[in-house]
Amino acid sequence: MSASAIHSAEDARRIAKRRLPWMVFDYIDGAAGRETGAARNRAALDEITLRPRILRDVSSRSLAATLFGAATQRPFGIAPMGMCNLSAPGADLMLARLAARYAVPHGVSTVASTPLEKIIEVAEGHAWFQLYFTGDGTGTFKLVDRAKAAGYQTLVLTVDVPEVGRRPRELRHGFKMPFKIGPKQFVDFALHPRWSLNALLKGKPTMANFEMPGYEFDRTESRARATWDTLNKLREMWPGKLVVKGVLDVEDALTLKAAGVDGIQVSSHGARQLESAPVPIEMLAKIREQIGADYPLFFDSGIRSGEDVLRALTQGADFVFLGRILQYALAAGHERGLHKLWDVISEEMSIAMAQTGLTSPKDITGLR
């Protein structure tokens, strides 16, 4: 029933808010500070208009795209998100199956609830490993070696979290990773029995990638030691594609290109880290203008619809990643909900392409 009620990302969010414990929903939904950054991001996307064109044969349309030379069935994929199994038991593997079905990358978070080896297996190779540099790097480089051994071809270094941003909504609920349950959380869970019973049957989510000898993950541990030398070391040790995520500055983007990075992901981490960060969609256009037409440039942050995907592509993105809206869908209707929202986003984009005279994402470069 819940999956069939999803006709937009907002529908999925509304159902998820009702079903999830407050602590979990606000962890997924929240942003930094007073959340004015998230509001600015949304307002900026809403300000972008598309150019309607008429009397063009758009009866046959395709959403297929190309990413690092490989064919994908959509110009959008799955952004790395931590602890997805909080939204629904088994969510990591639901996302992996979606990635396999549509040949799009599943961004596997450092703090995923499922081992990185299992996710890439279920995703049939359609997975990128997202990396946080933490502490002195000991655990970080172990994870890089594991990703390489598991067959990952693309490594995504996230650089916009030198310290974890303050998100008051999750702090008020006492949200912590690893997951801990106190009196306040117990009451919260008791008032959301469907989620709680599922979690009890499946077991509370853990950060599975850190269950290795000699290493424990501490979410509060500083990630501030990462430098350009760290990037150079990763470039030397990683034979595949290296993407840097969390870029919002033109000068940084140009330096990354010169350093041999294969692609850049423009992102504000969904406005979850720095409330006063510049608007990502505006920086996307500026970075594209300076970095050149052919350099791989990706985008995430605030995408809520297929029209938003099209907006980002017209502003310079080669590929777009969806984040928390997929967790809303998982919470609202588990795997059926996920596929329903994916179909909604696809249909929204296809209709928007028809309205603007486009038959393929490849046509969009002509609109920039």
Side-chain angles (χ1 to χ4, degrees):
M1 177 64 182
S2 294
S4 63
I6 296 174
H7 302 288
S8 68
E10 185 54 39
D11 285 340
R13 181 183 182 275
R14 173 177 47 79
I15 299 168
K17 186 175 183 179
R18 186 174 70 242
R19 289 195 163 189
L20 289 173
W22 307 314
M23 181 182 75
V24 175
F25 178 79
D26 282 343
Y27 166 67
I28 295 170
D29 191 65
R34 294 175 296 131
E35 307 195 10
T36 60
R40 283 201 317 279
N41 292 356
R42 184 63 256 167
L45 278 163
D46 287 338
E47 282 295 311
I48 295 172
T49 59
L50 300 172
R51 183 185 179 190
R53 302 305 305 272
I54 62 171
L55 297 177
R56 298 186 174 198
D57 186 352
V58 290
S59 57
S60 179
R61 300 183 301 281
S62 170
L63 296 182
T66 303
L67 182 60
F68 283 143
T72 68
Q73 293 186 35
R74 296 291 185 274
F76 50 87
I78 303 162
M81 295 174 284
M83 300 289 282
C84 284
N85 286 6
L86 285 173
S87 58
D92 285 332
L93 298 185
M94 295 177 195
L95 291 166
R97 287 189 286 271
L98 181 73
R101 179 173 176 177
Y102 291 94
V104 298
H106 174 192
V108 178
S109 173
T110 289
V111 290
S113 306
T114 307
L116 60 93
E117 293 86 356
K118 181 64 175 178
I119 294 178
I120 193 171
E121 176 189 342
V122 173
E124 299 176 10
H126 298 287
W128 293 3
F129 185 65
Q130 175 270 331
L131 185 72
Y132 285 122
F133 183 90
T134 306
D136 64 2
T138 301
T140 300
F141 293 122
K142 285 183 180 180
L143 285 172
V144 173
D145 289 337
R146 278 180 60 188
K148 191 187 306 182
Y152 284 84
Q153 301 296 309
T154 301
L155 184 71
V156 181
L157 176 64
T158 296
V159 294
D160 61 350
V161 195
E163 301 289 352
V164 176
R166 286 184 58 83
R167 298 189 282 274
R169 270 204 271 165
E170 69 180 57
L171 293 171
R172 291 185 195 110
H173 293 300
F175 184 90
K176 292 182 179 180
M177 293 166 60
F179 204 45
K180 294 183 179 179
I181 300 175
K184 183 184 292 187
Q185 291 77 36
F186 183 83
V187 172
D188 189 3
F189 295 165
L191 293 172
H192 296 88
R194 180 182 297 185
W195 182 93
S196 301
L197 288 172
N198 274 332
L200 184 64
L201 289 170
K202 301 291 184 178
K204 72 176 184 179
T206 62
M207 284 171 289
N209 290 326
F210 297 99
E211 294 176 353
M212 56 184 180
Y215 188 71
E216 289 186 10
F217 177 75
D218 180 358
R219 187 191 185 209
T220 64
E221 186 176 20
S222 176
R223 301 166 186 170
R225 296 189 198 177
T227 66
W228 290 97
D229 288 339
T230 306
L231 176 70
N232 292 336
K233 183 174 181 179
L234 280 173
R235 179 68 288 179
E236 290 172 4
M237 70 184 296
W238 184 256
K241 299 295 186 184
L242 178 60
V243 174
V244 174
K245 178 182 183 300
V247 181
L248 289 171
D249 183 88
V250 172
E251 184 178 346
D252 284 344
L254 293 172
T255 306
L256 288 167
K257 180 181 178 182
V261 167
D262 297 295
I264 290 170
Q265 194 154 326
V266 177
S267 168
S268 69
H269 217 105
R272 290 168 69 81
Q273 303 305 329
L274 179 66
E275 185 178 14
S276 54
V279 173
I281 197 69
E282 294 176 355
M283 295 311 303
L284 172 66
K286 293 177 181 178
I287 291 172
R288 173 56 78 195
E289 181 180 2
Q290 294 299 315
I291 212 162
D294 298 327
Y295 186 80
L297 201 57
F298 313 135
F299 181 83
D300 74 73
S301 290
I303 298 295
R304 291 289 186 273
S305 68
E307 282 198 32
D308 281 351
V309 173
L310 188 55
R311 285 166 164 147
L313 294 174
T314 64
Q315 296 302 299
D318 293 305
F319 202 84
V320 175
F321 288 86
L322 311 181
R324 67 186 84 186
I325 60 172
L326 301 181
Q327 290 208 58
Y328 299 149
L330 286 161
H334 290 202
E335 196 151 9
R336 287 184 62 240
L338 176 65
H339 282 271
K340 179 65 185 298
L341 182 61
W342 189 266
D343 289 345
V344 166
I345 299 296
S346 300
E347 185 176 0
E348 288 172 341
M349 183 175 178
S350 180
I351 291 171
M353 285 170 54
Q355 297 284 354
T356 52
L358 303 170
T359 59
S360 165
K362 297 174 184 177
D363 300 337
I364 296 168
T365 54
L367 300 179
R368 294 176 184 164

